[in-house]
Amino acid sequence: MSESSAERARLLREQLNHHNYRYYVLDNPEIPDAEYDRLYRELEALEAAHPELVAADSPTRRVGGRPLEGFAPVAHRVPMLSIRTETDIEAAGAFNFDARVRRELRLKDDDPPVEYACELKFDGLAVNLRYELGVLVQAATRGDGETGEDVTQNVRTIRCIPLRLNADSPPPVLEVRGEVYMSRPNFERYNAQQRDSGGTPLVNPRNGAAGSIRQLDPAIAARRPLSFYAYGIGEAAGWKMPATHSQVLDMLRELGMPVSGERAVVQGPQGLVQFHDDIGRRRDSLPFDIDGVVYKVNSLELQSKLGFVSREPRWAVAHKFPPEEELTVVEAIEVQVGRTGALTPVARLKPVFVGGVTVSNATLHNQDEIDRLDVREGDSVIVRRAGDVIPEVVGVVKDRRPQPEPARFQILQRFPVCPVCGSHVMRQLGEAAIRCTGGLYCPAQRKQALLHFASRRAIDIEGLGEKLVDQLVDQGLVRTPADLYKLGVAKLANLERMAQKSAANLLAAIEKSRHTTLARFIFALGIRNVGETTAKDLARHFGGLDGLMQADEEALMQVPDVGPVVAQGIVQFFAEPHNREVVEQLRAGGLSWPEHAPQGKQPGALAGKTFVLTGTLPGMTRDEAKDRIEAAGGKVAGSVSKKTDYVVAGAEAGSKLHKAQQLGVAILDEEALLGLLRPEAQGKLDF
Ligand code: D41
């Protein structure tokens, strides 16, 4: 081994440890990841060639070692105390703590306020990290405070924990205490990976942290993305102790330990309350879970004066926030029907106080989510409510499942018909949602269906907007679109803010809408996946409504661009007696359109031709031109390409016209377009 290899290895270790610190502790890397990887691989190669160069603090030594039989006990040289938890609500907790401290210190009312260090209470697992001459030699869990377990192998895999302290002459012994935790983004990422690979997801970040540290196989622990924040020290020999706790944390940070920046030094109890409230407000935007804040008397001298009782220091207290996760029982699973007809499963819960409110329902999203959680009626579940986010079931406690086991929950089995309107429900190919087929008829979908029906590109009832639809439905004047055609001035006059004049306007708009086209009518029905273009294709193909209503899936798939999903949706829609009824009522109510003989597959005059419209035409709007081209079988595209057959240019045509000229695409004015449309128009009807 040459002298320079040893020197190079030492330099690489030093550099890698430094960059690790910049990256994980300061969150401020100096070099790109690729450069770090290059240095890392160089060290790996050197160590492989010269195994005697491998040092305990080498960054290549984080993962390694074999699965353990069990964890060896570790006696803590300085006991790991526990922390008193103030359960009092609101500000009282902080004031009680301050009053106790002042009493113990025999301070008088006119003595100055006590100085406190405030920090976060991380929701993870407390560990003790022992550094001897700056090198991490042992990591142990807290255990009962006297004796913990040796988890050195697993803790070494935590990237943000330095394997060597950043000091020229490190203390002979320094024990750093803190909390191992899993950040929320890392938790989500890890769980997503687990789900993709068919593995078991973690229930929550806390369990993730605790479970990983207590994993006997360090290779598994290494794959769990853990982090660490220091909150204090244990044994310290040959270390110049500062005067305050906040300075201890500052010094730990300088030594390369991760210390949370979310801390404050305050005077007196008002300062504690302020910190508590500030963190409480920001709790949900922090990238990790906390279960409260911790207040500590800042002066180490006062700390030792105060001492401790029954393993709890008198100088510290934890002020908890309301828990964001709680255990409860699913009493039943029901469904809610949304405005789009989707059936959303909802867990009815035994009421539980979580995230600051009493929760008795939690959404289960859809059948896929029920399957993923495998949640069943009677199950004990963990419910989470963070901030104002709607409560969610995050996990099932399987060993508390009632015996005999309840069946797996299948929405389609339990709710074969819509609980709101009694229409059939179905799950379409490739869709997560199960939907009510009641469409126009289902009260849950009524307002949505009416708004769509009346919209400009459907039946086009001018002035029938959201506010009016709300009132018409809420007052029971309109249930289905067919009811619109039975409205009279007398009924409308009772509506709020509905002057006689606007009532007359609405009635006129409804009257005008009686004469429509088959395509608009089909579109207005709001059949799933039947948009405007499909509606036009269907109208052209079938010519009349009866043919469409009678068509089976095979017949429907003869229509251009209609595939199995769309065909299935149409068949289901018209199979629903409620929908047929509304259609009949609409026809009886005087809605009409011109019909023609079925056209079958016969293409229109412009079939296969692609048009692009640009500029303002003198005699028709862009939408009208589009309708007429499509009615003749042509397609209208948004941009000019080599595939464009014609560009129809009006006044102030811009770049599209220019492009057409460049590509040599035929350019038409309105008159030329009408010329192309004319043979199609003869004897044909407007769709
Ligand atoms: O963040 C924490 N979970 C945290 C835990 C903290 N910020 N400070 C703590 N301080 C102490 C004392 C006052 C006893 C040194 C603690 C804990 N203890 C603690 N964690 C688990 C048991 C005790």
Side-chain angles (χ1 to χ4, degrees):
M1 176 187 73
S2 68
E3 189 54 37
S4 66
S5 299
E7 180 56 20
R8 181 69 189 150
R10 195 191 58 71
L11 191 70
L12 285 168
R13 275 203 304 275
E14 209 176 279
Q15 286 183 341
L16 285 163
N17 284 332
H18 169 74
H19 291 307
N20 223 42
Y21 171 69
R22 299 284 313 194
Y23 187 92
Y24 286 106
V25 180
L26 300 186
D27 196 15
N28 182 13
E30 288 169 339
I31 56 169
D33 292 357
E35 174 66 7
Y36 181 93
D37 292 344
R38 205 184 57 72
L39 295 173
Y40 187 92
R41 280 194 301 272
E42 187 186 341
L43 180 61
E44 244 180 358
L46 257 181
E47 289 178 345
H50 309 283
E52 66 281 8
L53 288 181
V54 179
D57 68 334
S58 174
T60 61
R61 297 297 102 179
R62 285 195 183 268
V63 202
R66 281 175 225 146
L68 302 170
E69 295 288 324
F71 296 106
V74 175
H76 295 298
R77 318 283 167 109
V78 175
M80 288 182 82
L81 301 178
S82 53
I83 189 160
R84 182 188 161 107
T85 299
E86 202 61 67
T87 42
D88 285 346
I89 36 144
E90 304 302 317
F95 279 92
N96 289 344
F97 171 57
D98 180 65
R100 260 194 330 269
V101 166
R102 293 185 73 90
R103 197 168 55 239
E104 294 289 339
L105 293 174
R106 301 189 203 298
L107 294 179
K108 294 194 212 52
D109 286 353
D110 53 358
D111 282 326
V114 176
E115 182 174 275
Y116 295 103
C118 305
E119 54 198 52
L120 305 181
K121 186 164 189 302
F122 288 94
D123 200 4
L125 184 74
V127 295
N128 183 65
L129 309 177
R130 186 176 174 88
Y131 289 88
E132 289 178 3
L133 289 169
V135 177
L136 176 65
V137 294
Q138 187 181 59
T141 61
R142 178 173 174 277
D144 63 4
E146 299 290 333
T147 311
E149 291 178 317
D150 187 329
V151 290
T152 313
Q153 281 208 72
N154 290 343
V155 166
R156 288 176 71 89
T157 67
I158 303 173
R159 298 277 165 191
C160 68
I161 293 182
L163 300 174
R164 172 186 284 276
L165 294 176
N166 179 28
D168 291 336
S169 46
V173 176
L174 179 65
E175 290 184 347
V176 179
R177 288 174 177 179
E179 203 88 5
V180 170
Y181 68 94
M182 190 179 283
S183 74
R184 281 235 144 239
N186 279 339
F187 167 77
E188 306 289 354
R189 211 172 304 141
Y190 179 82
N191 270 359
Q193 274 166 14
Q194 284 299 99
R195 282 196 278 273
D196 288 350
S197 62
T200 329
L202 302 167
V203 172
N204 58 36
R206 212 209 91 81
N207 287 7
S212 311
I213 286 299
R214 300 206 68 264
Q215 213 358 284
L216 287 167
D217 184 351
I220 297 180
R223 283 202 295 271
R224 309 270 179 88
L226 300 179
S227 307
F228 174 85
Y229 271 133
Y231 64 68
I233 56 172
E235 190 186 2
W239 197 49
K240 195 179 167 314
M241 197 68 86
T244 64
H245 175 69
S246 58
Q247 286 167 330
V248 169
L249 296 186
D250 291 342
M251 285 168 72
L252 289 180
R253 191 178 159 109
E254 269 159 42
L255 287 172
M257 298 305 306
V259 176
S260 169
E262 298 284 355
R263 55 197 176 102
V265 172
V266 304
Q267 314 295 327
Q270 289 86 357
L272 300 177
V273 173
Q274 224 169 44
F275 183 80
H276 173 270
D277 292 353
D278 172 47
I279 298 297
R281 266 191 301 279
R282 294 191 296 117
R283 180 185 188 185
D284 295 307
S285 51
L286 296 172
F288 37 72
D289 283 356
I290 56 172
D291 54 1
V293 290
V294 178
Y295 313 137
K296 294 174 181 173
V297 171
N298 204 20
S299 155
L300 299 190
E301 193 193 323
L302 292 185
Q303 283 188 5
S304 63
K305 267 194 193 163
L306 285 158
F308 51 89
V309 265
S310 60
R311 291 159 186 261
E312 287 177 352
R314 285 200 191 90
W315 45 267
V317 76
H319 196 163
K320 286 219 179 185
F321 289 132
E324 292 186 323
E325 286 187 2
E326 269 299 353
L327 200 65
T328 187
V329 173
V330 175
E331 293 181 328
I333 298 176
E334 290 171 9
V335 293
Q336 271 171 3
V337 187
R339 277 165 54 98
T340 60
L343 267 62
T344 306
V346 180
R348 300 279 177 231
L349 305 170
K350 187 160 177 284
V352 62
F353 191 73
V354 57
V357 298
T358 300
V359 169
S360 45
N361 300 305
T363 176
L364 294 171
H365 301 290
N366 52 45
Q367 183 69 51
D368 290 345
E369 178 74 357
I370 291 178
D371 294 345
R372 183 177 79 73
L373 292 164
D374 185 18
V375 55
R376 309 182 189 189
E377 290 176 313
D379 267 346
S380 291
V381 292
I382 296 164
V383 177
R384 179 179 172 85
R385 180 185 182 270
D388 293 328
V389 180
I390 51 169
E392 278 194 306
V393 172
V394 295
V396 173
V397 185
K398 296 262 165 72
D399 45 1
R400 294 211 191 176
R401 181 164 280 167
Q403 293 299 329
E405 284 201 356
R408 276 184 169 274
F409 193 88
Q410 297 288 344
I411 302 175
L412 277 173
Q413 229 167 53
R414 283 287 291 277
F415 296 94
V417 295
C418 172
V420 176
C421 74
S423 301
H424 287 92
V425 305
M426 64 158 195
R427 182 174 185 171
Q428 270 189 350
L429 280 159
E431 254 207 55
I434 291 172
R435 291 177 192 279
C436 164
T437 56
L440 301 176
Y441 170 83
C442 181
Q445 300 170 67
R446 203 166 273 162
K447 289 180 182 176
Q448 180 97 328
L450 281 165
L451 279 172
H452 173 74
F453 182 86
S455 65
R456 195 174 60 83
R457 306 210 47 105
I459 292 297
D460 191 16
I461 302 176
E462 213 182 316
L464 188 55
E466 215 161 306
K467 282 214 181 83
L468 205 45
V469 165
D470 279 350
Q471 291 187 39
L472 290 170
V473 172
D474 293 345
Q475 301 211 8
L477 294 175
V478 172
R479 287 186 316 119
T480 73
D483 295 335
L484 290 170
Y485 296 90
K486 300 172 195 158
L487 286 174
V489 185
K491 278 188 184 169
L492 286 181
N494 292 331
L495 293 176
E496 259 174 72
R497 280 185 295 148
M498 187 68 183
Q500 293 291 337
K501 185 161 176 343
S502 23
N505 284 346
L506 178 65
L507 290 175
I510 291 173
E511 192 51 43
K512 203 170 130 200
S513 75
R514 280 182 203 272
H515 302 286
T516 186
T517 67
L518 178 57
R520 279 177 178 273
F521 183 76
I522 295 169
F523 176 55
L525 293 177
I527 305 168
R528 271 198 79 68
N529 298 315
V530 176
E532 229 183 320
T533 309
T534 307
K536 283 176 184 162
D537 289 343
L538 291 166
R540 187 178 313 120
H541 184 92
F542 289 100
L545 187 63
D546 293 324
L548 173 65
M549 287 176 69
Q550 283 150 21
D552 59 13
E553 288 180 32
E554 203 182 321
L556 286 162
M557 277 157 61
Q558 302 294 311
V559 180
D561 297 326
V562 172
V565 172
V566 177
Q568 192 194 17
I570 296 169
V571 169
Q572 297 266 3
F573 183 90
F574 288 116
E576 190 55 58
H578 300 132
N579 289 336
R580 300 180 83 95
E581 206 173 298
V582 174
V583 168
E584 285 325 311
Q585 283 178 12
L586 281 167
R587 284 213 269 205
L591 210 63
S592 69
W593 52 84
E595 297 203 348
H596 64 81
Q599 204 176 328
K601 279 206 245 182
Q602 184 192 321
L606 302 185
K609 300 289 182 210
T610 300
F611 289 72
V612 171
L613 304 173
T614 178
T616 312
L617 299 176
M620 60 177 116
T621 67
R622 202 97 61 92
D623 279 343
E624 277 167 348
K626 180 169 185 264
D627 284 349
R628 298 185 66 165
I629 292 167
E630 287 174 350
K635 285 231 172 347
V636 176
S639 60
V640 181
S641 73
K642 274 184 286 186
K643 292 190 188 139
T644 310
D645 295 294
Y646 301 102
V647 167
V648 182
E652 281 157 59
S655 61
K656 289 179 189 173
L657 176 58
H658 193 70
K659 180 111 187 256
Q661 286 162 340
Q662 276 179 345
L663 292 174
V665 174
I667 295 162
L668 309 177
D669 60 7
E670 184 182 286
E671 203 179 329
L673 172 65
L674 289 172
L676 278 184
L677 288 167
R678 209 156 292 133
E680 181 68 16
Q682 280 167 12
K684 290 278 155 64
L685 296 155
D686 175 24
F687 295 104

